[in-house]
Amino acid sequence: MRYKNLGRLLKIGTLLFTWGLICTVLLQIVCRFSWLQTPSWTEEASRLFFIYAMSFAAGLAMKNDFYVHLDMFYNYLGKKVKKVLEIAIPLFSLLLFLTMALFSVKFIVLGIPEKSPSMGFNMGIAFFSMFIMSISISYYLWVKIARTIKKQRL
Amino acid sequence: MIWILVVVFIVCLVLRFPIAFALGLACFCYLLAKGIPLIIVPMKMYSGIDVFVLLSVPGFIMAGNLMNQGGLTEKIITFCNHLLGHIRGGLSLVNIGASMLFAGISGTAISDTASMGSILIPAMKKEGYDADFSCAVTAASSTVGPIIPPSVPMIIAATLSGLSVGKLFLAGALPGLMLGIGLMITAYIISRRRKYPKHRRSSLKEISRGFVDTFWALLMTFIILYGIIGGIFTPTEASIIAVVYALIIGKFVYKKLNYKKVQVVLLDSMKTSASLMVLVGFANLFGYILITEQIPQSISNGILGLTTNKYAVLLLINLLLIVVGTFMETLAALLILFPILLKVAVGVDVDPIHFSVIAVLNLIIGLTTPPVGVCLFVASSIGKVSIGAVSKAGLPFLLVRVLVLILVTLFPAISLALPILFMD
């Protein structure tokens, strides 16, 4: 249930921020070619939408195995080694992303006193995207480990 | 300490960690060993992705996927069939011609192989073409995608070097055209020898109808290029214009897009882009470590210590990139090596735009060479032929690409003529 809900949340987040990105850039273009004055915040807003869209989609990319890897040497490895690697790879990756999530919190705190140049929001909001990215990837890595252990036990 | 970075990265790659994660883990181990605060990981990740030009990457991927879902692939193939189908080995030429047109929309090779291959490989097999040849032509033709504008690798190269995206797009146009024509000539010669079939000549009416059908797709390429080169849009704006245009054409002209399809395409495109951006973010951290350790300078001094002859240096770089491109994914290799090698190339007076084209050409050769040639894998799985057979059938096409690479390396004018003509 939690697995489905998180997936749904990430999908909604990705789509919302993608449409946000499209609309903001369009607004920038429309204003430039009309009598309206181009708002100063469009570039910053589109960058924010982009980073958030990427952060939400990064977890989904993990869920659907979108990250490319090198297969060449793996095929020469023995069955036992492959079995160990099935858990070791997501485990070490999980360690990396959990550490990143932890330090993302520090990064957010560091950004709170800072203000974005044109929109004036606190930069902690922008830096929060890194937390979403690392925690969503971590979650799907954890799911992968749990499923592999379950499969290997069976 | 730099050995930790290199060893961990290579070990992780060999053990089949995703390339982005291998980069991240290598940096992580290095930072731990050096005692550098780990807050730098999210910091560098953020600053690596927070670049305005990079916004165009998901834009172009989305536009290509939307056009593909909108039924454009079939229309491009039909149009090319009217134009080239009457020549001996017509379908192989159609395959290459359609890839060249499709390249102007998608910007990535894998989507090209998958979308063209799923239609053309079965059709070619049905007409009596050898399966390995059909797969080899499809894989080879899709490699023109990343060089003909709009090109995702060129956007990445522009981000890494600070060069103009418009100039890089233009610089890739002529080499892309040469590549396409070279592949067509090779396919024609093989087809004549093997007596592959040809279709009847299409009437002028059929050709013009095919043109009208594909006109909207071709217009998109024109809008993107004219917008960027003419200084009307930034590359990011052009990519979003392309998305909106593809939505309108797919919904109201080709009438194949609905709400559900659009959402699926957007999600898939964003997942592809996100996997690239995680790579870009970690590559930014990797690049930062290399710079603090002064590795680009050391490599540059090392190569320039061997020789300062421009062509000898370019030969060394070409060999290195071909080998790396054979093993590593194009964008990953570009992100890791491009900033280092650009410094070396500039050191021997190679124009950065010229060098960008050389680097991208080198790396796309790897898309169809085993063991990691992704296009090869996609084509062989569609055609149900072994990778070995497709690689063997693809050898003449590989030679063409190497020949184009040699010409582009030796004659900078091939890359620089269009940027100078239109943008200087």
Side-chain angles (χ1 to χ4, degrees):
Chain A
M1 194 65 183
R2 203 185 328 145
Y3 180 77
K4 273 191 177 173
N5 283 341
L6 184 76
R8 206 169 293 153
L9 182 75
L10 291 179
K11 273 184 192 173
I12 294 169
T14 306
L15 286 173
L16 275 179
F17 287 110
T18 305
W19 282 113
L21 164 68
I22 294 171
C23 293
T24 318
V25 177
L26 268 183
L27 176 73
Q28 188 172 312
I29 301 165
V30 169
C31 289
R32 182 141 31 92
F33 292 105
S34 67
W35 71 96
L36 298 163
Q37 203 184 357
T38 311
S40 57
W41 49 265
T42 46
E43 187 183 320
E44 200 170 285
S46 51
R47 281 212 317 259
L48 188 73
F49 282 132
F50 167 68
I51 289 188
Y52 265 94
M54 291 298 109
S55 304
F56 277 95
L60 293 173
M62 183 66 238
K63 184 184 171 190
N64 301 123
D65 271 334
F66 270 65
Y67 294 94
V68 285
H69 35 60
L70 194 66
D71 279 319
M72 184 196 167
F73 303 101
Y74 185 79
N75 299 331
Y76 296 106
L77 299 174
K79 263 189 180 175
K80 271 188 181 174
V81 182
K82 280 183 182 171
K83 218 172 169 182
V84 173
L85 283 177
E86 268 182 36
I87 293 179
I89 292 172
L91 194 67
F92 280 107
S93 308
L94 179 65
L95 189 73
L96 168 73
F97 283 100
L98 280 180
T99 314
M100 190 175 141
L102 190 74
F103 282 91
S104 294
V105 177
K106 270 192 169 181
F107 186 41
I108 295 164
V109 174
L110 212 69
I112 290 172
E114 282 181 51
K115 294 268 177 258
S116 78
S118 59
M119 290 174 83
F121 60 80
N122 97 48
M123 285 304 286
I125 295 172
F127 298 161
F128 184 65
S129 58
M130 291 298 104
F131 181 75
I132 295 174
M133 179 186 277
S134 42
I135 214 72
S136 61
I137 293 178
S138 300
Y139 176 75
Y140 285 112
L141 283 166
W142 171 247
V143 170
K144 198 173 183 181
I145 295 168
R147 282 186 177 170
T148 311
I149 292 173
K150 207 174 164 185
K151 199 175 83 185
Q152 287 189 357
R153 272 191 192 154
L154 285 172
Chain B
M1 280 293 185
I2 196 71
W3 63 269
I4 295 179
L5 187 80
V6 178
V7 169
V8 175
F9 179 56
I10 292 173
V11 169
C12 287
L13 271 191
V14 169
L15 294 179
R16 201 175 173 263
F17 277 75
I19 300 174
F21 300 179
L23 267 179
L25 277 167
C27 297
F28 182 62
C29 293
Y30 171 87
L31 295 172
L32 276 180
K34 268 269 195 176
I36 297 171
L38 291 174
I39 194 169
I40 202 163
V41 179
M43 270 176 152
K44 285 288 161 191
M45 189 95 180
Y46 183 87
S47 64
I49 305 172
D50 188 29
V51 180
F52 193 62
V53 179
L54 283 180
L55 272 69
S56 59
V57 173
F60 286 126
I61 293 177
M62 267 190 276
N65 288 346
L66 282 170
M67 274 294 194
N68 200 17
Q69 275 291 321
L72 181 81
T73 314
E74 292 92 338
K75 289 187 187 352
I76 286 182
I77 290 172
T78 311
F79 175 52
C80 289
N81 201 15
H82 287 317
L83 277 180
L84 303 162
H86 63 279
I87 305 169
R88 175 77 56 200
L91 268 190
S92 61
L93 304 183
V94 169
N95 198 329
I96 299 162
S99 284
M100 287 168 76
L101 290 183
F102 195 71
I105 296 151
S106 77
T108 53
I110 304 165
S111 62
D112 190 354
T113 315
S115 50
M116 292 288 163
S118 57
I119 299 170
L120 280 170
I121 294 175
M124 286 175 79
K125 279 165 75 175
K126 204 174 161 189
E127 282 199 11
Y129 289 80
D130 294 307
D132 53 353
F133 174 77
S134 312
C135 294
V137 171
T138 307
S141 68
S142 58
T143 58
V144 296
I147 192 93
I148 286 183
S151 147
V152 173
M154 288 297 192
I155 297 171
I156 300 286
T159 312
L160 294 170
S161 58
L163 293 166
S164 145
V165 176
K167 280 187 178 177
L168 285 185
F169 275 3
L170 275 178
L174 271 185
L177 206 64
M178 281 170 63
L179 206 59
I181 293 169
L183 293 175
M184 275 188 181
I185 294 169
T186 314
Y188 174 71
I189 293 169
I190 296 172
S191 300
R192 270 189 76 104
R193 276 194 192 156
R194 297 190 189 174
K195 296 193 171 52
Y196 285 142
K198 57 180 178 180
H199 298 161
R200 65 166 180 85
R201 189 182 283 273
S202 298
S203 65
L204 201 64
K205 198 178 167 188
E206 284 171 318
I207 295 174
S208 33
R209 184 171 294 166
F211 177 74
V212 170
D213 274 348
T214 48
F215 170 77
W216 298 106
L218 301 176
L219 188 65
M220 180 164 122
T221 313
F222 176 77
I223 292 172
I224 293 171
L225 287 181
Y226 183 73
I228 296 174
I229 295 158
I232 302 167
F233 312 127
T234 63
T236 303
E237 289 170 349
S239 73
I240 298 299
I241 289 280
V243 171
V244 176
Y245 180 85
L247 274 172
I248 295 169
I249 297 297
K251 173 81 185 160
F252 299 107
V253 180
Y254 295 150
K255 294 185 175 129
K256 288 230 176 158
L257 284 180
N258 55 33
Y259 175 76
K260 208 174 174 186
K261 268 189 185 173
V262 170
Q263 306 295 20
V264 171
V265 171
L266 291 193
L267 269 177
D268 272 349
S269 309
M270 292 317 260
K271 280 184 235 171
T272 309
S273 309
S275 65
L276 285 178
M277 290 309 142
V278 173
L279 186 65
V280 168
F282 281 129
N284 190 41
L285 177 63
F286 191 79
Y288 165 79
I289 293 172
L290 291 184
I291 288 168
T292 52
E293 288 277 352
Q294 296 192 318
I295 299 301
Q297 284 92 326
S298 307
I299 292 178
S300 175
N301 292 342
I303 293 180
L304 296 178
L306 280 174
T307 174
T308 48
N309 181 299
K310 183 177 167 179
Y311 296 103
V313 170
L314 281 176
L315 177 70
L316 283 174
I317 291 176
N318 276 341
L319 289 175
L320 173 73
L321 284 174
I322 284 184
V323 173
V324 172
T326 312
F327 292 97
M328 205 186 271
E329 201 267 336
T330 314
L331 292 180
L334 199 65
L335 282 161
I336 295 164
L337 288 174
F338 185 74
I340 300 173
L341 296 176
L342 180 66
K343 198 172 169 55
V344 182
V346 171
V348 286
D349 286 336
V350 176
D351 189 283
I353 293 176
H354 177 210
F355 179 71
S356 305
V357 177
I358 294 175
V360 174
L361 258 178
N362 264 302
L363 293 173
I364 61 167
I365 288 177
L367 285 170
T368 53
T369 48
V372 203
V374 274
C375 294
L376 211 61
F377 282 95
V378 176
S380 67
S381 69
I382 296 171
K384 294 181 179 64
V385 191
S386 74
I387 296 274
V390 183
S391 311
K392 204 174 156 192
L395 269 178
F397 300 111
L398 182 66
L399 287 177
V400 170
R401 270 170 291 159
V402 173
L403 184 70
V404 171
L405 172 67
I406 293 170
L407 289 174
V408 169
T409 307
L410 291 178
F411 304 104
I414 298 172
S415 322
L416 299 177
L418 289 182
I420 290 170
L421 192 67
F422 289 104
M423 293 189 80
D424 270 351

